Amino acid sequence: MLQSLISMSDPEIELVLNSVREWCNSHHCEIESPDGRRAVTVAIDLVQSQRTDDDVIVELTRRLARCEEKEVPVQ
């Protein structure tokens, strides 16, 4: 994850961090938490795939919601 961030431009890093901060705030978690780290990983992938500013938070939320659905135990 850190290697990916190092290879990014300053605006790309800022986009990743801002998107993750927004996602973490809305989901009441810390960036250092497992969910926060997962959000950073997904956001890096999104920014590297040339997403625009507006697309990153929307797609980040969508992708992480799919992860949460998979984690819910079936009863």
Side-chain angles (χ1 to χ4, degrees), residues 43-59:
I44 289 170
D45 289 341
L46 291 171
V47 170
Q48 288 179 333
S49 68
Q50 306 299 315
R51 297 284 179 160
T52 64
D53 292 10
D54 295 334
D55 291 343
V56 172
I57 188 62
V58 171
E59 185 64 17

Side-chain angles (χ1 to χ4, degrees), residues 31-48:
I31 290 177
E32 297 84 17
S33 71
D35 288 337
R37 287 192 297 271
R38 184 174 19 222
V40 170
T41 301
V42 173
I44 289 170
D45 289 341
L46 291 171
V47 170
Q48 288 179 333

Side-chain angles (χ1 to χ4, degrees), residues 3-71:
Q3 276 186 320
S4 296
L5 280 174
I6 290 171
S7 68
M8 299 174 101
S9 68
D10 287 345
E12 289 172 328
I13 293 169
E14 187 174 328
L15 178 55
V16 167
L17 294 177
N18 289 340
S19 299
V20 172
R21 281 188 196 110
E22 184 176 334
W23 185 87
C24 286
N25 283 336
S26 67
H27 288 82
H28 311 288
C29 69
E30 299 292 326
I31 290 177
E32 297 84 17
S33 71
D35 288 337
R37 287 192 297 271
R38 184 174 19 222
V40 170
T41 301
V42 173
I44 289 170
D45 289 341
L46 291 171
V47 170
Q48 288 179 333
S49 68
Q50 306 299 315
R51 297 284 179 160
T52 64
D53 292 10
D54 295 334
D55 291 343
V56 172
I57 188 62
V58 171
E59 185 64 17
L60 179 63
T61 300
R62 188 181 72 75
R63 288 191 186 185
L64 292 175
R66 280 193 320 208
C67 290
E68 290 170 357
E69 289 171 2
K70 291 178 186 176
E71 293 174 2

